[in-house]
Amino acid sequence: MPLEQLEPSTGYSMTLTSHQGDRNSVWATTAFTTTGGRGGDGPKDLTASQVTPRSPVLTWKPPSSKVSGYKLQYAIEGQAFQAQTDLRKHKLLRLRPGSKYLVRLQSDMGGVYTEAITIEFTTGDLRFPFPSDCSQELLNGVQESGLVEIFPLGQASVPVSVYCDMETDRGGWTVRAVAKEKLRS
């Protein structure tokens, strides 16, 4: 269904659902920005490199016109995310392993957005895409100790940041910080 009478250089959010009798589908939401049709040329040669199961590095060539920044949008399976940057390089973090992403990039020229350029990439697979502890991160190939996100109750759970010790006794140890409280008598 074509959308008509949209304002140029304007951000929109759209939510859709379908109905059949007394049944409703799951909501699907997306966000987009219309182009301004003015304001000069946009960025060029958007590429995704160093793609891992959870992050890529996005780079592009700047336009010949002066820009005040860039609007970066990326989407997966009905979920849309947005970032602003004034650099020509951006690393996306906390992506879903083994998933296809669509990225849109526009130049911001003082509130007027240029035509978007796009790229698609797929993050790599992991043996345990939603690790529940550091032993699963070790099996995913993480060799260095440090902070990681784990999913104690699986994919549907909220991730928890923990320290993984990957050196002691063959590694895979989950270390959690415990706050100590000083009591007065």
Side-chain angles (χ1 to χ4, degrees), residues 96-111:
R96 186 180 298 169
S99 299
K100 186 180 212 176
Y101 283 85
L102 173 65
V103 177
R104 291 175 37 97
L105 180 69
Q106 294 173 286
S107 296
D108 180 355
M109 302 198 166

Side-chain angles (χ1 to χ4, degrees), residues 39 41-43 62-70 86 107-110 114:
D41 62 333
S64 57
S65 308
K66 186 175 180 349
V67 299
S68 53
Y70 299 94
D86 58 355
S107 296
D108 180 355
M109 302 198 166
T114 61

Side-chain angles (χ1 to χ4, degrees), residues 22-155:
D22 61 346
R23 296 178 13 194
N24 297 326
S25 70
V26 176
W27 292 92
T29 302
T30 189
F32 61 93
T33 301
T34 56
T35 58
R38 55 187 194 274
D41 62 333
K44 294 176 179 43
D45 301 329
L46 177 62
T47 60
S49 62
Q50 302 173 33
V51 179
T52 69
R54 295 193 179 111
S55 68
V57 174
L58 303 172
T59 55
W60 57 90
K61 291 181 182 173
S64 57
S65 308
K66 186 175 180 349
V67 299
S68 53
Y70 299 94
K71 179 190 274 188
L72 185 67
Q73 297 172 308
Y74 54 105
I76 176 178
E77 299 172 7
Q79 293 180 314
F81 306 94
Q82 185 169 305
Q84 297 288 131
T85 183
D86 58 355
L87 305 174
R88 295 184 309 202
K89 180 178 183 180
H90 189 82
K91 184 172 185 175
L92 297 177
L93 301 171
R94 298 181 174 173
L95 300 186
R96 186 180 298 169
S99 299
K100 186 180 212 176
Y101 283 85
L102 173 65
V103 177
R104 291 175 37 97
L105 180 69
Q106 294 173 286
S107 296
D108 180 355
M109 302 198 166
V112 175
Y113 293 97
T114 61
E115 189 79 27
I117 58 173
T118 61
I119 190 171
E120 287 185 351
F121 66 88
T122 302
T123 54
D125 289 323
L126 287 175
R127 184 172 177 188
F128 297 98
F130 301 95
S132 61
D133 59 32
C134 292
S135 65
Q136 289 183 350
E137 276 292 84
L138 183 65
L139 293 171
N140 279 341
V142 175
Q143 300 294 315
E144 294 181 16
S145 296
L147 287 175
V148 300
E149 282 188 336
I150 62 169
F151 300 79
L153 302 175
Q155 179 178 352

